[in-house]
Amino acid sequence: MSAFRTLGVIGAGQMGAGIAQVAAACGLNTLLKDSTYDAALAGLARIQKQLQRAVEKGRMSEDTRIETLNRIHVCTDLEEFKAVDIAIEAVPEDEALKKQVLKQLEQVLRRRAIIASNTSSISITRLGSAAQFPSRVVGMHFMQPVPVMQLVELIRGHSTSPEVFNATKELAERMGKTVSCSEDYPGFLTNRILVPMINEAFHALHQGVGTREDIDMSMKLGMNHPMGPLTLADFIGLDTCLAILRVLEEGLGPKYMPCPLLVKYVDAGWLGRKSGRGVYEYGTRK
C-alpha cells in the first residue's frame, strides 16, 4: 500500500496547488483536479510561479523545475483518478461538500486506494461515515503555504485502518514533512490552539483595545511570531477561519463563538489576501 506512484488532488486553490507541487517534487505523478479547466489551470499557474521563484533564488535547478512540472497533469474529470494510489481532497471547509467528494471518489478509485482529507477541523470519523469503506479514509492536514511549512497533521478516524494511517505517514515523510498525530477532536491540535488566538485578536480589534497594526506587532515582537494573528488570518482566509470556529463552537462549546467582527468581514466578502481585502488591503483581487 505504501508504494505510491500516482497521487490525485481535488481542489486547485492555494492549498491544493501546494499539495500537488510537493507531491510532484518528491517524484509522484500528480493529477490536479478542479470543477473547471480554468480553475485547474490557475492552480498550475500558481505552481509554475512558485517553482520559477525557487529557481531564481537558487533553491532549485532548472532541470528539476521542468521535471516537477512534467509530473503534474490538470483535469476536470474524476474518472482520471482511477489509477491513483491516494486521493487528497482540498475543497473548501464545508462538511457536506467534503462528504460529497468522498462519495464520488469511492465510485472511481481502486479498492486499495487511500482517501485523505485535508480538512483543518472537521471530524474524520464523520467524513469517513460517508464512505462505503471508511477504513481507507484518513486526515492529512497540510499547513499553508504547503511547499514551505514543514508540518503535516495526521488524524485517524474511528474506522481508519492502521495500514492506511501508517502508509499516509510514510507518504508525508517522503514529501519531506514532519508528522504530528492528533486524535479526532474538533480543530485537531493546530487549529484548536491557533484559531482561538486569531478570534481573540479580532475581539481586541473589535473592542478597540488596539489597532490592527499594534495587535500584530505585539505578537510579532512580543511573542516572536513570524507574523501577527490578523495578518495570518488574512493569509489563511477569513472564511476558513470562520468555518473552523463554527466547528469548534459546535463541538466544544460557546467559548469558541466567532467574533462578530470576523463574521461581518466574511459577510462583506472581505476574505483576506485571496479577495484583495480582509483586515488589511491587498489591492486587486488575486
Side-chain angles (χ1 to χ4, degrees):
M1 180 177 286
S2 59
F4 296 105
R5 296 182 181 86
T6 304
L7 177 146
V9 181
I10 298 180
Q14 290 183 351
M15 185 65 77
I19 295 170
Q21 179 178 329
V22 297
C26 77
L28 291 168
N29 293 318
T30 304
L31 290 173
L32 180 59
K33 180 195 176 299
D34 213 302
S35 55
T36 68
Y37 197 60
D38 284 347
L41 285 178
L44 182 60
R46 289 189 187 95
I47 297 170
Q48 291 170 328
K49 183 177 180 180
Q50 291 296 320
L51 294 178
Q52 185 60 43
R53 186 176 301 168
V55 171
E56 292 170 356
K57 292 186 175 182
R59 297 197 300 260
M60 177 180 289
S61 69
E62 177 64 14
D63 287 346
T64 300
R65 183 189 74 84
I66 294 172
E67 290 170 2
T68 301
L69 281 175
N70 286 342
R71 295 190 191 103
I72 301 172
H73 307 280
V74 299
C75 66
T76 59
D77 188 354
L78 202 59
E79 289 293 319
E80 296 193 37
F81 276 53
K82 283 184 176 180
V84 306
D85 300 304
I86 180 169
I88 304 175
E89 69 79 11
V91 301
E93 195 73 354
D94 178 274
E95 183 172 338
L97 176 60
K98 288 181 181 291
K99 284 182 174 180
Q100 179 184 355
V101 169
L102 263 61
K103 289 179 180 178
Q104 292 170 344
L105 280 169
E106 277 208 316
Q107 300 303 310
V108 299
L109 293 180
R110 294 176 295 180
R111 175 64 185 87
R112 289 181 58 81
I114 293 172
I115 301 175
S117 173
N118 184 56
T119 178
S120 52
S121 61
I122 301 170
S123 166
I124 300 302
T125 299
R126 289 211 308 265
L127 292 180
S129 70
Q132 184 179 359
F133 301 104
S135 60
R136 62 171 169 172
V137 178
V138 65
M140 192 179 194
H141 177 210
F142 290 83
M143 307 295 129
Q144 175 76 350
V146 179
V148 176
M149 302 299 284
Q150 298 180 5
L151 188 73
V152 167
E153 188 174 40
L154 290 188
I155 306 97
R156 189 197 318 263
H158 181 72
S159 301
T160 306
S161 75
E163 294 79 13
V164 164
F165 188 85
N166 292 334
T168 307
K169 182 174 184 290
E170 290 177 16
L171 174 62
E173 291 169 346
R174 177 177 169 182
M175 291 176 168
K177 304 302 184 184
T178 299
V179 173
S180 71
C181 300
S182 171
E183 294 297 322
D184 191 17
Y185 283 90
F188 315 130
L189 283 173
T190 52
N191 281 326
R192 181 163 178 178
I193 297 167
L194 172 65
V195 177
M197 181 189 72
I198 289 174
N199 196 43
E200 199 60 35
F202 269 94
H203 278 298
L205 182 63
H206 190 211
Q207 295 167 5
V209 179
T211 66
R212 61 188 184 179
E213 292 84 5
D214 284 337
I215 292 167
D216 277 349
M217 182 172 60
S218 294
M219 297 307 291
K220 285 178 65 179
L221 302 185
M223 304 299 168
N224 204 27
H225 290 191
M227 67 176 72
L230 298 175
T231 299
L232 179 57
D234 274 355
F235 187 79
I236 294 169
L238 302 191
D239 54 336
T240 300
C241 293
L242 178 58
I244 294 168
L245 282 164
R246 296 290 194 206
V247 171
L248 292 174
E249 181 187 15
E250 178 186 356
L252 300 173
K255 102 182 219 186
Y256 298 95
M257 182 182 298
C259 173
L261 184 62
L262 172 59
V263 176
K264 183 181 292 186
Y265 279 12
V266 173
D267 286 346
W270 293 10
L271 307 183
R273 294 183 67 92
K274 62 186 174 184
S275 68
R277 181 69 166 90
V279 179
Y280 295 92
E281 302 80 25
Y282 301 95
T284 58
R285 187 184 182 97
K286 301 293 183 182

